[in-house]
Amino acid sequence: MRGNDTVKNDIEQAAKAIRAGDRVALARAITLVESAKPHDQASAQALLERLLQHTGKSVRVGISGVPGAGKSTLIDQLGLNLVAQGHKVAVLAVDPTSSRTGGSILGDKTRMGRLAAEPSAFIRPSPAGDSLGGVTKSTRETIALAEAAGNDVVLVETVGVGQSETAVANMVDIFVVVAIPGAGDELQGIKRGLLELADIIAVNKADGDQVERANRAAMEYRTALHILAAGHPNWDPQVLTLSARDNQGLDALWAKIEERHQAFKASGALAVRRADQAAAWMREIFEQRLLADFKGGRRAARHFQDLEDKVRRGEMTPAAAAQELGRLAGTKEAD
Amino acid sequence: MRGNDTVKNDIEQAAKAIRAGDRVALARAITLVESAKPHDQASAQALLERLLQHTGKSVRVGISGVPGAGKSTLIDQLGLNLVAQGHKVAVLAVDPTSSRTGGSILGDKTRMGRLAAEPSAFIRPSPAGDSLGGVTKSTRETIALAEAAGNDVVLVETVGVGQSETAVANMVDIFVVVAIPGAGDELQGIKRGLLELADIIAVNKADGDQVERANRAAMEYRTALHILAAGHPNWDPQVLTLSARDNQGLDALWAKIEERHQAFKASGALAVRRADQAAAWMREIFEQRLLADFKGGRRAARHFQDLEDKVRRGEMTPAAAAQELGRLAGTKEAD
């Protein structure tokens, strides 16, 4: 077992390298963060604590949308535009369905081939996921590492599985939903629950013979949102059209994102949002630990599912089941 | 301390009386359920377990809307209509701002004066609330008691404070949002997050010189929802106008509610929804207990807020704070 000083030194070196913009050091740190091994986790946490004061200095943008909406093309082109303007861009992904042996890992770098070749861009595929919670944790920490490494824009792509959008919305400043053209009966509905997360709806593929359909879709979303957000001081979702393929409208998208971000910062709302996100995450980690410790007990784990099934079938009240779980956990009971 | 047999006998008697429709017995049982005393809680849980198989046989409807939307008038008139049709109606409320010494307690029975006089209607104001969690728990259990007492319709009113709507949506089958007339710039926006909960939006006060404004509001909501719910098999919110004051459109409202409920039942979706709600509630109670046991420790409670504040200020990573909490809780740590 290596001495504490040696470990501390390693962390100091890693922190230094990351801050200096060493991409290999950054990639290594992210791998550490994604590792489930307790020893790796301890090193990862030490590194994150060392870098904490250097995090936070980016515009964090979540990008979601159905498969086929063209998210990858959009991120590729947007990333190129930003790099050309002098930004350092990190691109991450939350995809609990990804696996280590293919899928996202090769996919991302070929889907965003041009951006992947840029020195000022750092692309990291989604960690392999066995649970959304695990992927979410890794991604949050990767955002911090990417910021410490000097990236001033962090784009987090989500593939729209389960609660992925909500998870990503809870770790970014601005949330963009990418939609496809179509109107009336062909209008792509916005996934229930996604609507209230969106700051911007970007109707992509406004090119070729689709321009008209894209405009109509944008108009319908705009009408709907205007109606629903009427009179709300804090809800002002914007709708625009663009073509990632033709690099049309992406400057307007970024201008809107920056404008919002500036406004959030100026009003203090950004600081509050990020503080809320961090506090909620702390509580989440802790509650998960309490629950995991409990479920870790063999007897308890067996019974948890049994009890839940009884409750679902209406054979036991939820309170009685929870009480039984408490008894198994050895917690103090109310009476 | 009374013998176990005596207590058991009391519970048996109480259960019998409730099932026979004894309103005093029902009211007493609800008071027991709302009581924080451990002894009362134990009795309440025993009673609920005894009655479990007799619950579930009602149409559970959540009714929300801004102050001034006319919820009380609507519930009063709707309740009267249902009673006239032979239903037994229970009216509950979730209002974490209510207090024991006035407010809801007197308010409800005067606001729903006519319904309160009906033998086939049972009105219970919101329990006094120190937390939404406590009020939610009591209300869920009161629904069960009301059903065991033979009520085949349970209306749960929510006053729109904080997350009250979400809490109520998680304990009912159908969720209705009551809106007021107005259109264009005067359109009352639907509270963010409420939209996806709504099965029906009922624009009230469609009477006198407001009929036109009510119709326009309904048309705008309909347009917006049509756009946003496009292509969604499971999202089909309905919009209608009514006048609770003039008892116009309430039959149509109830017909829509019943139609939905029948469809849910027939498809099996209702059973799944209720099973999901019960399972989620079990997990919620248990996680709250784990957290309460933890916070109950004096050292831990003091530190919880300190650590959260540090995290909010960016002085500590959420993971490090959670780890510290874990240490204080004496839970097994990852390494």
Side-chain angles (χ1 to χ4, degrees):
Chain A
M1 193 62 184
R2 309 176 67 203
N4 264 347
D5 280 351
T6 321
V7 172
K8 257 202 207 158
N9 207 32
D10 284 348
I11 287 170
E12 197 51 45
Q13 295 293 0
K16 236 172 151 176
I18 288 170
R19 294 199 55 219
D22 180 340
R23 294 164 62 103
V24 171
L26 176 58
R28 262 201 209 127
I30 297 174
T31 300
L32 209 60
V33 143
E34 293 172 356
S35 162
K37 298 191 194 131
H39 184 256
D40 289 346
Q41 268 310 303
S43 303
Q45 292 313 312
L47 182 56
L48 286 161
E49 281 159 49
R50 178 65 185 76
L51 290 170
L52 183 57
Q53 61 186 133
H54 304 293
T55 65
K57 300 159 194 158
S58 82
V59 179
R60 303 170 184 170
V61 184
I63 300 187
S64 91
V66 295
K71 292 191 299 294
S72 307
T73 316
L74 174 59
I75 291 172
D76 190 42
Q77 186 63 62
L78 178 63
L80 286 173
N81 295 355
L82 292 171
V83 155
Q85 288 170 26
H87 292 285
K88 282 191 71 177
V89 182
V91 178
L92 312 176
V94 168
D95 178 4
T97 65
S98 83
S99 67
R100 272 195 200 294
T101 58
S104 281
I105 289 180
L106 297 174
D108 276 358
K109 297 204 169 176
T110 43
R111 286 182 304 145
M112 300 178 201
R114 297 179 298 164
L115 189 62
E118 288 289 332
S120 294
F122 181 88
I123 303 181
R124 180 80 178 198
S126 175
D130 47 357
S131 77
L132 178 60
V135 172
T136 300
K137 168 201 168 295
S138 300
T139 309
R140 286 177 182 271
E141 294 176 340
T142 300
I143 291 175
L145 291 172
E147 289 175 338
N151 291 283
D152 66 318
V153 175
V154 178
L155 308 177
V156 186
E157 182 188 357
T158 164
V159 297
V161 169
Q163 296 297 307
S164 303
E165 291 98 344
T166 309
V168 168
N170 286 339
M171 64 177 83
V172 300
D173 307 326
I174 311 259
F175 197 79
V176 176
V177 175
V178 184
I180 50 180
D185 285 344
E186 294 166 344
L187 189 74
Q188 165 212 339
I190 300 286
K191 177 173 169 181
R192 200 166 168 174
L194 199 55
L195 188 66
E196 58 174 27
L197 298 177
D199 292 292
I200 296 170
I201 295 183
V203 182
N204 191 21
K205 308 198 177 186
D207 42 57
D209 57 4
Q210 299 273 53
V211 176
E212 198 40 49
R213 289 177 79 235
N215 287 336
R216 280 205 306 268
M219 203 173 61
E220 291 194 7
Y221 289 130
R222 215 170 271 130
T223 303
L225 288 167
H226 175 76
I227 290 171
L228 296 162
H232 278 290
N234 295 329
W235 190 16
D236 184 27
Q238 302 289 301
V239 184
L240 40 81
T241 60
L242 42 80
S243 166
R245 180 192 84 179
D246 295 349
N247 196 9
Q248 291 289 326
L250 273 64
D251 286 345
L253 171 63
W254 187 251
K256 273 258 171 287
I257 289 172
E258 269 206 321
E259 177 193 309
R260 289 233 142 168
H261 203 257
Q262 281 309 318
F264 274 168
K265 255 164 114 175
S267 72
L270 183 68
V272 169
R273 180 183 171 112
R274 287 187 176 185
D276 286 346
Q277 289 175 341
W281 183 23
M282 175 196 91
R283 249 174 281 123
E284 209 175 295
I285 299 174
F286 182 60
E287 283 174 22
Q288 283 312 307
R289 170 164 300 147
L290 283 182
L291 204 56
D293 278 352
F294 168 70
K295 275 179 157 176
R298 283 173 301 138
R299 209 169 47 139
R302 252 195 338 261
H303 289 284
F304 195 96
Q305 200 50 59
D306 287 345
L307 288 167
E308 185 173 301
D309 291 342
K310 284 199 169 108
V311 164
R312 294 181 71 89
R313 289 193 300 261
E315 292 166 14
M316 204 171 184
T317 64
Q323 192 154 11
E324 181 62 10
L325 284 172
R327 203 183 57 75
L328 291 169
T331 60
K332 301 189 282 305
E333 282 160 39
D335 189 22
Chain B
M1 191 65 181
R2 308 175 69 202
N4 264 346
D5 282 350
T6 321
V7 172
K8 258 202 207 158
N9 207 31
D10 285 348
I11 287 169
E12 197 51 44
Q13 295 294 357
K16 236 172 151 178
I18 288 169
R19 292 198 58 219
D22 179 341
R23 295 163 61 102
V24 172
L26 176 58
R28 263 201 208 126
I30 295 173
T31 299
L32 209 60
V33 143
E34 293 172 356
S35 161
K37 298 192 195 129
H39 184 257
D40 288 347
Q41 269 308 304
S43 303
Q45 293 312 313
L47 182 56
L48 286 160
E49 281 160 51
R50 177 65 185 76
L51 289 170
L52 181 59
Q53 59 186 134
H54 304 293
T55 66
K57 299 160 195 157
S58 82
V59 179
R60 304 169 183 169
V61 185
I63 300 188
S64 89
V66 294
K71 292 191 301 291
S72 307
T73 315
L74 174 59
I75 291 172
D76 190 43
Q77 186 62 63
L78 179 62
L80 285 174
N81 296 355
L82 291 171
V83 156
Q85 288 171 27
H87 293 285
K88 282 192 71 177
V89 183
V91 178
L92 312 175
V94 168
D95 178 5
T97 65
S98 83
S99 68
R100 271 195 200 294
T101 58
S104 282
I105 288 180
L106 296 174
D108 277 358
K109 297 203 170 177
T110 43
R111 285 181 304 143
M112 299 176 200
R114 297 179 299 164
L115 189 61
E118 287 290 331
S120 292
F122 180 89
I123 303 180
R124 181 81 178 197
S126 174
D130 49 355
S131 77
L132 177 60
V135 172
T136 299
K137 168 202 169 295
S138 299
T139 309
R140 284 177 184 270
E141 295 177 337
T142 300
I143 290 175
L145 291 172
E147 288 176 338
N151 290 282
D152 65 318
V153 175
V154 179
L155 308 177
V156 185
E157 181 187 359
T158 164
V159 297
V161 169
Q163 296 296 307
S164 303
E165 290 98 343
T166 309
V168 168
N170 286 339
M171 66 176 83
V172 300
D173 307 326
I174 311 259
F175 196 79
V176 177
V177 175
V178 184
I180 48 180
D185 285 343
E186 295 164 343
L187 189 74
Q188 165 211 339
I190 300 286
K191 177 174 169 180
R192 200 165 167 175
L194 199 56
L195 186 68
E196 59 174 26
L197 298 177
D199 292 292
I200 296 171
I201 296 182
V203 182
N204 191 20
K205 308 198 177 186
D207 42 56
D209 56 4
Q210 300 273 53
V211 176
E212 198 40 50
R213 290 178 79 234
N215 286 337
R216 280 205 306 269
M219 203 174 61
E220 291 194 7
Y221 288 130
R222 216 170 270 131
T223 303
L225 289 168
H226 175 75
I227 289 171
L228 297 162
H232 279 289
N234 295 329
W235 190 17
D236 184 26
Q238 302 289 302
V239 184
L240 41 80
T241 60
L242 44 80
S243 166
R245 181 192 85 178
D246 294 350
N247 196 8
Q248 291 290 327
L250 272 63
D251 286 346
L253 170 63
W254 187 251
K256 273 256 172 286
I257 290 173
E258 269 205 322
E259 177 192 310
R260 290 233 140 169
H261 203 258
Q262 281 310 318
F264 275 168
K265 256 163 115 174
S267 72
L270 184 69
V272 169
R273 180 183 170 111
R274 288 187 175 185
D276 287 345
Q277 289 174 340
W281 184 22
M282 174 196 91
R283 249 175 281 124
E284 209 175 294
I285 299 174
F286 182 61
E287 282 173 26
Q288 283 313 308
R289 170 164 299 146
L290 283 180
L291 204 57
D293 277 353
F294 168 70
K295 273 180 159 176
R298 282 172 302 138
R299 210 168 49 139
R302 255 198 335 261
H303 289 285
F304 196 96
Q305 199 52 58
D306 286 344
L307 289 166
E308 188 174 298
D309 291 342
K310 284 200 169 106
V311 164
R312 293 181 72 89
R313 289 193 301 261
E315 293 166 12
M316 204 172 184
T317 64
Q323 191 154 12
E324 180 64 10
L325 284 172
R327 203 183 57 76
L328 291 169
T331 59
K332 300 187 283 307
E333 281 160 41
D335 189 21

